[in-house]
Amino acid sequence: MSTVNMKKLKNLTQYNFTATFIKADVTVRERKSSSLKNIYPTVLLKNVCLADTGELIAKYYWLGYGKSLAKLGRLTSGTQLKFEARPDINVLGNKNNGDIASLIAWPKNFRRLDKAYQYQAIPEDSHQLAGCILSGKQQEYNESEQWYLDQYKLWQEENGDELDTLVEEVPAIDNYQDIKVEDVLDDKLEKYAAIRSEELSDSENRKYVIIDRETKKVLDDNNSLGYLKVKDAYESYENRLNNAKERYRKRRALSWLLNHADFDKKLLEIYIEITDKGQWEGYISFDKKLVEDLLLQGNHTHLEFTSKDLLEVWYKG
């Protein structure tokens, strides 16, 4: 692994880099105007290289933990990453990174290179993320640190659904063979599951699709757009299921009504009498309860629709 010559890189030109994630930590900076201390999330990267040539930029490198990287979720040591950055060769390095700090300016579009992992959400806000990192340290916290921990707790409360969901990365949207699907969002969802789609996801957003647990085939991908949240994917698919079932019931109700002209005629007669006289055999409202009673009286049971469905299709004619 050779080391790149800084002078060979073009200033402010976009380059692709690869690196290995080692750990997350925080750095503390004291404000010059006061005694207050700000805490910032950082990450330690190893073997930062130019992606195209493999030339080594830095053996170790401390980098600010920004939103683009946080979107990838919780990282474990050894995770392989790829990202873009524009070198600012005119800027000198700092005490942590030596003379190569300027080479990794404006990093963005972080991507994971491992094809199978479990995603677990972490905060993207820097204050909350700092609290998340601090929460993993076995120590007593001072007043300043406790504020960041409190911000992280607020995020946990607001993102309970996302935190409670672990979904396995999948290689492509149409290739779900032999993939174990796990989620704990709702134990009732035995037939389908929301999982992350690598094909629809990008460096800025994680996208989820609904798949059949048994066949691993895609059931709902939001018209190839995917869903930004696991909860939204489930809710949308459940609404689609309910809408499809409702449409099916109404089609069956209409078909049944067309094949039972005597019942259709009786409904008309009762409707006219209630409208003209205000009641029919004690019924003062032409509603689903009346229709339900009429169905029972005619021994029309075990139907594939409800009395409400039948009433609605009758009104529509």
Side-chain angles (χ1 to χ4, degrees), residues 1 40 68 70 84 87 119 144 178 191 203 238 248:
M1 184 181 294
Y40 299 92
S68 179
E84 300 172 12
Y119 167 77
S144 177
D178 301 321
K191 295 183 178 180
S203 58
E238 288 167 352
Y248 173 80

Side-chain angles (χ1 to χ4, degrees), residues 128-162:
Q128 297 168 341
L129 182 54
C132 175
I133 296 170
L134 285 169
S135 69
K137 296 178 178 291
Q138 300 296 324
Q139 63 181 49
E140 292 186 5
Y141 301 103
N142 58 38
E143 184 176 349
S144 177
E145 291 170 333
Q146 187 59 51
W147 183 85
Y148 288 89
L149 288 166
D150 291 341
Q151 299 306 303
Y152 174 50
K153 289 179 181 178
L154 288 175
W155 177 83
Q156 286 180 305
E157 294 172 0
E158 294 173 355
N159 295 270
D161 290 334
E162 186 80 2

Side-chain angles (χ1 to χ4, degrees), residues 211-230:
I211 68 166
D212 184 288
R213 286 183 181 274
E214 183 176 352
T215 65
K216 310 300 186 291
K217 294 298 182 181
V218 179
L219 300 174
D220 181 11
D221 63 1
N222 193 22
N223 296 320
S224 298
L225 296 175
Y227 295 93
L228 290 173
K229 292 185 177 181
V230 169

